[in-house]
Amino acid sequence: MTILKDLIQKRFNKIEKKNYFGYPLLDDAFSAEDISSAMEVLLSKKITMGEITNEFEYEFANYIGSKYALMVNSGSSANLLAAFALVNPLKKNHLKIGDEFLIQSLCWSTSLWPMVQAGLRPKFIDVNARTLNIDPEEFFRSITKKTKAAMIVHVLGNCSDIDLITKIGKKKNLYLIEDTCESLGSMFKNKYLGTFGSFGTFSFYYSHQITSGEGGMIVCDNKKDYQIIHSMRAHGWDRGLNKRKNNRKDFNFINAGFNLRPLDITAAIGLSQFKRLNNFKKTRNENRKKILQSLQNSKNWNNQFSFIEKNKNLKPSWFGLPILINKKYLHKKEKFLNFLNEQKVETRPIISGNFLDQPSIKLFNLNKKNKIMRNSKEISDRGFFIGLHTKPIYQNQINKLIKLLLSIDEI
Ligand SMILES: Cc1ncc(COP(=O)(O)O)c(C=O)c1O
């Protein structure tokens, strides 16, 4: 292991020397240990889901404070399992085809589609433009007798009062799924996001709080729910759930299913990175503070941008740094983002903007009444985000980044 790790480290050092300025979404977050642990799995020739996946699940559940964690091949797959668990006949009081669920219009594609694919009917609600998340009051107002579930998306490491939303959900008998794909490690009132609802889902895709390339996790506290998602992850099989002496019964399919299994290779990378999550979190928070301070203290600062508010009870684990362009400069947005891109500052929309404006919504006719979501639209129109890196940012990098951001005045 050490020889392999040293070799990889030497190779990394060679690559790093060639670096030039650029501000990508994620800097080089992989350590030699991440890569060597994956290579060890390859060398063992047991690359399919196995002991390392189990270990990662165990460590993840322990850290996050949920009874069960199940690794899958993506955050989207985690949402797929959560959605199909809600309508599964093995679940007591499961939902029925056509039941209504609430979802914010500022969401990701696969926050929405798994629920629709499971036969549930979306009712879109708007977010708060200052926090990017659903306000509890709006959540409460939107619940009717038809509402049976809610998909809450914690946007870019931030959240609203999830404690109150959970209380409202419980009172109204709703199943709550927390799409925490962008917020691994954020805590609300000292409880990790993803552990408030019936299911919490996480993504380990590139530039997320940790990354294994592809990968995801789903957590829950209910044993029956765990058995359902466990069987559905792999073909509806009960393998790994029951210890049986009779081998003939080894091919026992107790449920409908998918194949959403991760590889032990990705589990090894995920587990190795997971050990550094607290460090990543701290560094990202510090980098965010430094960038914001330098930007707002610059002599050229003229309120060109606004930034989002964090709830006072949140200890955030930031994904990126969302930025809203102020109205005076809005006509330059496209030119400005192209300019940043040319200067090697990578940007992304905030999630995918107002999802109601996406062609797929038209394709499936999910906005029959042509509802307008003012705040989500405003976030789409004004917003973008840049990355927050897992290594401390140097002052000369900050200066260069800030100069580029503030050149919105001149372009
Ligand atoms: C809110 C949200 N949900 C779900 C996903 C899907 O995760 P994955 O890319 O791992 O499938 C993403 C991806 O970025 C996301 O931002």
Side-chain angles (χ1 to χ4, degrees):
M1 178 81 163
T2 335
I3 298 171
L4 193 57
K5 201 177 123 190
D6 289 348
L7 277 173
I8 295 166
Q9 189 61 57
K10 271 189 195 146
R11 180 77 202 276
F12 274 3
N13 295 345
K14 240 190 206 168
I15 299 170
E16 273 164 18
K17 275 188 195 130
K18 286 185 197 152
N19 271 353
Y20 52 95
F21 177 80
Y23 193 80
L25 277 194
L26 185 70
D27 59 347
D28 175 23
F30 292 102
S31 70
E33 188 149 359
D34 297 343
I35 306 298
S36 64
S37 57
M39 287 176 78
E40 288 292 339
V41 177
L42 273 168
L43 291 170
S44 78
K45 299 179 191 166
K46 287 190 211 150
I47 62 176
T48 53
M49 186 178 80
E51 276 168 28
I52 300 175
T53 306
N54 292 343
E55 193 185 334
F56 187 17
E57 290 170 347
Y58 177 81
E59 295 294 336
F60 196 93
N62 240 353
Y63 175 96
I64 215 89
S66 59
K67 280 203 183 129
Y68 305 100
L70 191 84
M71 189 179 176
V72 281
N73 54 7
S74 71
S76 305
S77 299
N79 282 343
L80 197 65
L81 285 182
F84 275 81
L86 295 190
V87 297
N88 196 270
L90 284 181
K91 185 170 175 62
K92 211 169 133 196
N93 300 323
H94 64 87
L95 300 186
K96 314 258 172 352
I97 301 289
D99 278 348
E100 179 184 283
F101 70 98
L102 300 180
I103 182 164
Q104 63 218 62
S105 44
L106 190 78
C107 68
W108 185 250
S109 151
T110 49
S111 318
L112 170 71
W113 293 114
M115 299 290 273
V116 175
Q117 286 152 353
L120 302 172
R121 202 160 43 81
K123 178 177 176 184
F124 291 94
I125 57 179
D126 209 355
V127 292
N128 181 320
R130 289 196 314 272
T131 66
L132 311 176
N133 284 279
I134 297 180
D135 281 335
E137 299 75 28
E138 180 65 13
F139 180 70
F140 180 74
R141 264 199 303 274
S142 308
I143 299 170
T144 66
K145 281 201 178 101
K146 290 185 198 155
T147 317
K148 305 287 184 220
M151 171 64 88
I152 304 289
V153 185
H154 303 303
V155 181
L156 292 172
N158 203 16
C159 72
S160 58
D161 189 338
I162 185 65
D163 195 28
L164 185 52
I165 286 183
T166 312
K167 281 182 185 139
I168 297 169
K170 274 202 180 121
K171 203 155 180 218
K172 298 284 182 180
N173 260 327
L174 307 187
Y175 289 118
L176 220 72
I177 299 174
E178 289 175 80
D179 181 335
T180 321
C181 286
E182 299 192 350
S183 301
L184 169 61
S186 284
M187 290 182 113
F188 190 84
K189 290 188 180 167
N190 285 330
K191 189 171 155 60
Y192 282 107
L193 296 186
T195 61
F196 287 82
S198 306
F199 295 100
T201 61
F202 301 86
S203 165
F204 312 136
Y205 186 62
Y206 166 77
S207 91
H208 286 238
Q209 277 82 357
I210 62 165
T211 178
S212 54
E214 296 278 6
M217 196 72 83
I218 171 165
V219 300
C220 64
D221 277 337
N222 180 292
K223 189 172 179 184
K224 192 80 206 169
D225 284 344
Y226 174 68
Q227 289 170 337
I228 292 171
I229 57 174
H230 192 292
S231 63
M232 285 198 301
R233 171 176 68 176
H235 315 278
W237 214 337
D238 69 351
R239 183 185 255 185
L241 279 176
N242 301 316
K243 286 206 168 68
R244 248 187 264 95
K245 284 182 190 128
N246 183 351
N247 277 344
R248 275 186 302 115
K249 280 267 178 152
D250 253 0
F251 286 76
N252 200 34
F253 296 90
I254 56 169
N255 208 339
F258 307 98
N259 180 359
L260 310 173
R261 288 180 302 215
L263 292 169
D264 252 14
I265 304 172
T266 42
I269 301 175
L271 178 59
S272 175
Q273 285 230 341
F274 191 57
K275 292 175 188 156
R276 303 201 300 287
L277 174 61
N278 286 342
N279 287 344
F280 284 177
K281 198 158 106 176
K282 192 163 164 269
T283 308
R284 280 181 146 134
N285 285 355
E286 284 167 2
N287 287 345
R288 178 177 181 274
K289 254 190 213 144
K290 283 184 201 162
I291 295 171
L292 286 180
Q293 269 170 9
S294 300
L295 193 59
Q296 288 166 324
N297 288 336
S298 158
K299 64 178 186 343
N300 295 326
W301 174 248
N302 189 21
N303 290 311
Q304 290 90 334
F305 309 113
S306 319
F307 307 98
I308 62 159
E309 282 171 18
K310 131 187 141 47
N311 189 292
K312 66 177 189 310
N313 292 309
L314 178 77
K315 282 190 199 140
S317 170
W318 296 111
F319 180 123
L321 175 57
I323 297 176
L324 299 176
I325 299 175
N326 282 339
K327 297 239 161 75
K328 186 178 155 197
Y329 300 89
L330 212 47
H331 61 287
K332 297 185 182 185
K333 185 182 173 199
E334 206 183 322
K335 202 169 163 196
F336 175 58
L337 295 188
N338 285 340
F339 166 77
L340 290 182
N341 197 35
E342 278 160 20
Q343 299 295 321
K344 309 233 169 331
V345 178
E346 218 178 337
T347 65
R348 288 284 183 279
I350 294 177
I351 307 213
S352 42
N354 178 19
F355 206 78
L356 287 184
D357 286 341
Q358 295 289 349
S360 52
I361 292 291
K362 266 211 184 92
L363 182 69
F364 287 89
N365 199 15
L366 289 189
N367 189 17
K368 291 189 188 92
K369 292 187 183 154
N370 283 325
K371 263 196 194 169
I372 301 207
M373 299 291 177
R374 277 212 353 250
N375 297 338
S376 302
K377 187 170 170 352
E378 183 182 340
I379 294 162
S380 287
D381 292 345
R382 293 177 52 202
F384 69 98
F385 83 88
I386 57 172
L388 284 174
H389 297 170
T390 54
K391 288 178 185 150
I393 185 165
Y394 297 116
Q395 193 58 46
N396 63 342
Q397 282 177 300
I398 298 180
N399 295 346
K400 175 93 199 212
L401 177 64
I402 279 163
K403 190 163 175 259
L404 292 172
L405 287 171
L406 291 178
S407 58
I408 194 166
D409 272 303
E410 289 131 41
I411 60 165

